[in-house]
Amino acid sequence: VEEGIDQLRAFIPDTTLVAALDVVDRDRVLRYKTPWGRSHYEVFGSTSTCYTVFPRLGFSASVFCYCTCPAFAFAVLASNSHLMCKHVLAVYLAERLSKCIERTVTDEEFVARTTAYL
């Protein structure tokens, strides 16, 4: 794990890395999974606000992930100063460390959660 953290420091600011690790440590990454295997992520930030994270968009080379938080909009999309926000990084770390809180949802619940931001 330490080697992976050191590698992340090469392209993720320490403040983002520490904040993401804190989110994971506090079990604030939720993974909603459908019976057919599709996943949807929600992450609670430091102010207990819930943000939706799409870790793998797959249709753009410049933006490979998305988060509904204001930091993502500014630091990633507007100023292009970061690759991702702490919420996206927390999802990647929680997946890798098997620390996602998993909940199974129906197809209807999944559609409602993923289309709420359209």
Side-chain angles (χ1 to χ4, degrees):
V1 174
E2 287 294 322
E3 183 179 318
I5 299 297
D6 287 339
Q7 290 174 346
L8 284 172
R9 282 196 169 115
F11 60 94
I12 301 289
D14 279 349
T15 53
T16 303
L17 182 56
V18 169
L21 287 167
D22 183 58
V23 168
V24 173
D25 190 47
R26 293 173 183 255
D27 295 325
R28 303 195 83 169
V29 178
L30 302 171
R31 179 181 179 198
Y32 296 95
K33 191 172 180 181
T34 64
W36 40 277
R38 185 79 179 185
S39 294
H40 168 80
Y41 296 89
E42 291 181 355
V43 177
F44 286 90
S46 52
T47 61
S48 296
T49 304
C50 184
Y51 299 106
T52 297
V53 174
F54 301 91
R56 291 167 203 83
L57 293 177
F59 58 82
S60 171
S62 61
V63 180
F64 60 91
C65 58
Y66 185 77
C67 179
T68 58
C69 77
F72 188 90
F74 177 75
V76 178
L77 299 178
S79 69
N80 204 25
S81 62
H82 290 69
L83 290 174
M84 63 187 75
C85 65
K86 70 179 180 183
H87 309 107
V88 173
L89 181 57
V91 167
Y92 290 140
L93 292 170
E95 283 180 332
R96 186 81 170 156
L97 299 170
S98 300
K99 293 276 290 175
C100 291
I101 305 301
E102 297 208 5
R103 302 218 166 97
T104 302
V105 294
T106 65
D107 293 343
E108 294 80 17
E109 291 169 320
F110 182 81
V111 169
R113 286 189 175 281
T114 56
T115 59
Y117 301 96
L118 297 178

